[in-house]
Amino acid sequence: MTTLTHVGGPTVLMELDGWRILTDPTFDPAGRRYGFGWGTSSVKQSGPALAAGDVGPVDVILLSHDHHADNLDDLGRALLPGATTVVTTRPGARRLALPNARGLAAGETTRLTAPGKPSLTVTATPCRHGPPLSRPVAGAVVGFALAVGDRPGVAVWMTGDTVLHRPLRRVARTLDVDVVLLHLGSVRFPQTGPLRYSMDGRDAVDLLALSRPRVAVPVHYDGWSHFAEPPQHLRSTLAAHPGSRAVVRWLEPGIPTGV
C-alpha cells in the first residue's frame, strides 16, 4: 500500500515501501502574487495543510520543474538541500546547482538505492506545459514514473504539469500504472486568452481511459488564481464517467491516506 498526504497544490508526501518522497514542494502561505514570466502571474489562494517543518525527513524530492512558484516556492526551495536526492529536469538541475540534484529528460531513468529499502527507479515522462510551440516560453517540465525493486509495472505515476498531447497519450498506453497523481486545473492567463497550460477534467477522463490505473488522485487543481476549471466542475466531470468514477480518490489535505 502507498500512503499519500496531500499538502496542497501539487505537493504530496508519499510513503512507498520505506521511501519518503515529496512532490513539487510548495509551503508558502496564501496571499502572495508570483510572476510566471511574459507578463503572467498568479495569486496563491490557499496555504499548505502541513508546515514545511512538519514534513520530517525526505529521501527523494520529485520536482517537475523549478521555475514556477506553484511547483516550487520559497519555503519549498529551502527543503531541497536536506533531501537525499532531488530529481528534476536537466535545466532545473543546472539552475539548482545542488550536489543532490539529478536532471532527467523525458524517457531517461535514474535508479536510487538506500540501506534496508528496495531500489527505486525513477523514469521521467513527457510534459508539454502549454499549447503547441509553447515549450520555449513555458520551459522544460517532466512527470515521473516510479518502479519499486524488481516488481513489474509502475507503482506511482506523477503526470506533472502538462496538457494532453501525443507523447503523453503514448506513454499512458504503455505504462502499467497502479496509482496516478493527476495535475489538473486547466491553467489559463488573461494575456493568452483561451490557451490552456494544464489538463482539465475531460483530459483526465481521456488519460484514465488510456492508462487504466487502479487509483487516480487529482492534485494541483485549486488554490491558485490561474486555475480556470472550478473544482466542483472537475468533480462533476470525473463523476459523470463510470471509468473515472470507479478509480478516482479525493484526498483530504493533511490527512495520510492509504491507496
Side-chain angles (χ1 to χ4, degrees):
M1 176 182 291
T2 302
T3 300
L4 304 177
T5 305
H6 189 198
V7 175
T11 309
V12 176
L13 179 61
M14 186 188 319
E15 296 172 84
L16 175 64
D17 287 273
W19 291 91
R20 288 176 55 83
I21 303 164
L22 187 67
T23 69
D24 282 356
T26 55
F27 290 91
D28 287 1
R32 177 177 165 189
R33 180 177 292 276
Y34 298 81
F36 286 79
W38 296 83
T40 63
S41 65
S42 183
V43 176
K44 187 171 186 179
Q45 300 170 327
S46 300
L50 295 176
D54 294 333
V55 170
V58 174
D59 298 307
V60 185
I61 291 178
L62 300 177
L63 179 57
S64 65
H65 55 304
D66 68 304
H67 52 283
H68 291 160
D70 60 327
N71 297 86
L72 180 67
D73 59 19
D74 292 342
L75 292 180
R77 190 178 294 270
L79 293 179
L80 300 182
T84 304
T85 306
V86 177
V87 186
T88 187
T89 63
R90 284 185 172 186
R94 290 194 294 269
R95 284 189 292 263
L96 294 174
L98 293 171
N100 60 343
R102 302 187 188 188
L104 299 178
E108 294 181 337
T109 293
T110 189
R111 184 172 179 268
L112 308 178
T113 59
K117 302 173 185 176
S119 62
L120 185 69
T121 301
V122 182
T123 301
T125 59
C127 292
R128 195 185 76 206
H129 198 3
L133 306 180
S134 65
R135 188 168 282 113
V137 175
V141 182
V142 292
F144 299 102
L146 308 181
V148 178
D150 297 324
R151 299 178 203 166
V154 171
V156 178
W157 178 28
M158 166 188 164
T159 65
D161 289 8
T162 182
V163 296
L164 185 59
H165 63 309
R166 188 175 299 171
L168 188 66
R169 291 179 182 272
R170 185 161 51 244
V171 165
R173 291 189 187 98
T174 59
L175 293 179
D176 178 13
V177 182
D178 187 35
V179 178
V180 60
L181 300 179
L182 295 165
H183 286 212
L184 303 173
S186 187
V187 166
R188 294 183 185 179
F189 297 99
Q191 293 85 346
T192 52
L195 298 179
R196 288 195 295 112
Y197 295 84
S198 65
M199 292 187 288
D200 63 10
R202 290 175 296 178
D203 296 327
V205 169
D206 291 344
L207 189 66
L208 293 178
L210 293 171
S211 58
R212 303 176 66 85
R214 180 181 61 84
V215 176
V217 177
V219 297
H220 208 25
Y221 58 85
D222 65 355
W224 286 83
S225 63
H226 63 332
F227 289 129
E229 183 173 34
Q232 190 54 50
H233 184 271
L234 170 62
R235 287 175 178 263
S236 298
T237 300
L238 294 176
H241 292 79
S244 302
R245 185 170 62 244
V247 299
V248 168
R249 291 283 302 275
W250 299 94
L251 300 186
E252 185 73 23
I255 305 300
T257 304
V259 296

